[in-house]
Structure formats: C-alpha cells, structure tokens
Amino acid sequence: LLLASRDLMGGYNWVKDNASDENLAKAVEKQKKQYAGNEIAGKKLGVIGLGAIGAKVANIAVRLGMEVYGYDPFVSVDAAWGLSIKHITNVEDIYKECDYITIHVPALPETKGMLNADAFAMMKDGVRILNFARDVLVNDEDIKAALASGKVAKYVTDFPNPAIAGTKCNCITTSWCLHRRI
C-alpha cells in the first residue's frame, strides 16, 4: 500500500543520483513534495480473496483508516466474523468503487487474467493495483496499457516477469515478499 501511495522509489532514486551533492539536505527539502504521493487514510481498498492473507490485509487496512471492501464468494462464516469490512457480493463493485485493489486468490482457470482490460475499464481513473498472489491473475499486456494510459496509477507486484519487469510507467516489481509470512 505504501509503495503504491508514495513515490518511494522515485525519492530513493533521486537521493541516490544526488548523493554527492554537499547540500543534499537542503535539496531534499525542495524536492520532497515531488515524491509525497497520496494519503491512504479515508481511501477505499478492495480486497479480492479473504483467505488467511487477504483477511489480514483487510484488517490492517482498517487500522490504517481505510474503508475496506472485501470480495470472496467462498469466505467461511468463521473468517467473516473476524473481519470488520464491507462484504461485497459482486467483484465488479470493487472495480467501480475502490481507489486501491489487492488480489489474494489462487491461480485457477477461472481466475487467470481476471484483472484485464474489461476489469480495468470499470475501475476509477488512477486506481492502484497490488498483486502479491499469483502473476497469472493480471493480464500483462492489459496492465501495461492501463498504466500507460493512466487508468492504473501504480501496479505493485512481487512477480517480476519479462513482460512487466522493464515497464517504466509506475510499475514496481519486487521479489522481497516471496514466501514471506505476514
């Protein structure tokens, strides 16, 4: 969420590129507004998939002051009791309403490419997409087009692949989250 909200990578790269400037501290004060980004408090987060990880993300986002919408057609009653979010019965409502969308579903034939041009067309302009579940859930060519047009403001994923890794338009690919427990 924080990587998608602030231009942390841009700020990091600017400091790295200007590390030899003896007036770096003063220069940072002038430059930092460029990398400030957006607050997440009060924004709407859509969580697709409310299993173990999705439920934790949803609850943490509530604590961060976000309005959280959750979609999972297979959520158990026990899992639902542990969530303090708005349970949505149609994933398209998340596409239409949310400022941030994070996906936590398994890679199945019916979920492959579920975030595609049709889904992006329903989303708010400037939506931020987080994918730490499976690379095949997001259609590579469609996310690249959505980023280039500004429909998607940021795409953060820990599945760098040849199609996405070189994307310059607000795509952050990492590998540091792989197999890490929250």
Side-chain angles (χ1 to χ4, degrees), residues 11-93:
Y12 169 81
N13 288 330
W14 184 88
V15 170
K16 186 174 149 187
D17 292 345
N18 292 279
S20 62
D21 182 349
E22 55 188 61
N23 295 312
L24 184 60
K26 287 182 182 181
V28 165
E29 283 303 313
K30 292 178 183 176
Q31 195 70 18
K32 68 182 179 182
K33 288 180 185 174
Q34 183 176 340
Y35 306 108
N38 301 310
E39 297 290 333
I40 59 174
K43 297 288 195 263
K44 294 178 183 176
L45 171 68
V47 180
I48 302 172
L50 296 168
I53 302 300
K56 286 182 180 184
V57 170
N59 286 330
I60 289 168
V62 167
R63 290 186 201 111
L64 291 171
M66 298 185 84
E67 186 177 339
V68 180
Y69 293 63
Y71 171 78
D72 191 328
F74 306 107
V75 69
S76 70
V77 173
D78 288 340
W81 279 107
L83 295 170
S84 53
I85 64 171
K86 295 180 181 181
H87 189 250
I88 302 299
T89 58
N90 184 347
V91 72
E92 291 179 2
D93 291 336

Side-chain angles (χ1 to χ4, degrees):
L1 282 170
L2 298 176
L3 284 173
S5 297
R6 308 271 182 176
D7 189 6
L8 298 177
M9 298 305 296
Y12 169 81
N13 288 330
W14 184 88
V15 170
K16 186 174 149 187
D17 292 345
N18 292 279
S20 62
D21 182 349
E22 55 188 61
N23 295 312
L24 184 60
K26 287 182 182 181
V28 165
E29 283 303 313
K30 292 178 183 176
Q31 195 70 18
K32 68 182 179 182
K33 288 180 185 174
Q34 183 176 340
Y35 306 108
N38 301 310
E39 297 290 333
I40 59 174
K43 297 288 195 263
K44 294 178 183 176
L45 171 68
V47 180
I48 302 172
L50 296 168
I53 302 300
K56 286 182 180 184
V57 170
N59 286 330
I60 289 168
V62 167
R63 290 186 201 111
L64 291 171
M66 298 185 84
E67 186 177 339
V68 180
Y69 293 63
Y71 171 78
D72 191 328
F74 306 107
V75 69
S76 70
V77 173
D78 288 340
W81 279 107
L83 295 170
S84 53
I85 64 171
K86 295 180 181 181
H87 189 250
I88 302 299
T89 58
N90 184 347
V91 72
E92 291 179 2
D93 291 336
I94 284 181
Y95 297 159
K96 294 173 186 174
E97 295 294 324
C98 294
D99 306 296
Y100 294 78
I101 297 173
T102 182
I103 188 165
H104 302 276
V105 298
L108 303 171
E110 57 270 19
T111 60
K112 184 178 179 182
M114 69 183 288
L115 293 184
N116 56 34
D118 292 337
F120 297 134
M122 288 184 246
M123 295 178 190
K124 292 180 173 184
D125 289 343
V127 67
R128 297 160 195 287
I129 306 292
L130 312 172
N131 176 17
F132 299 106
R134 305 287 181 270
D135 63 337
V136 298
L137 302 175
V138 178
N139 179 289
D140 290 338
E141 294 308 312
D142 293 347
I143 189 70
K144 286 168 52 176
L147 285 161
S149 73
K151 182 66 167 184
V152 173
K154 288 262 172 80
Y155 176 52
V156 183
T157 183
D158 63 355
F159 296 101
N161 63 43
I164 294 295
T167 302
K168 300 287 185 208
C169 295
N170 293 322
C171 182
I172 301 172
T173 56
T174 67
S175 62
W176 55 271
C177 292
L178 293 175
H179 307 292
R180 184 183 166 119
R181 291 190 150 169
I182 291 181

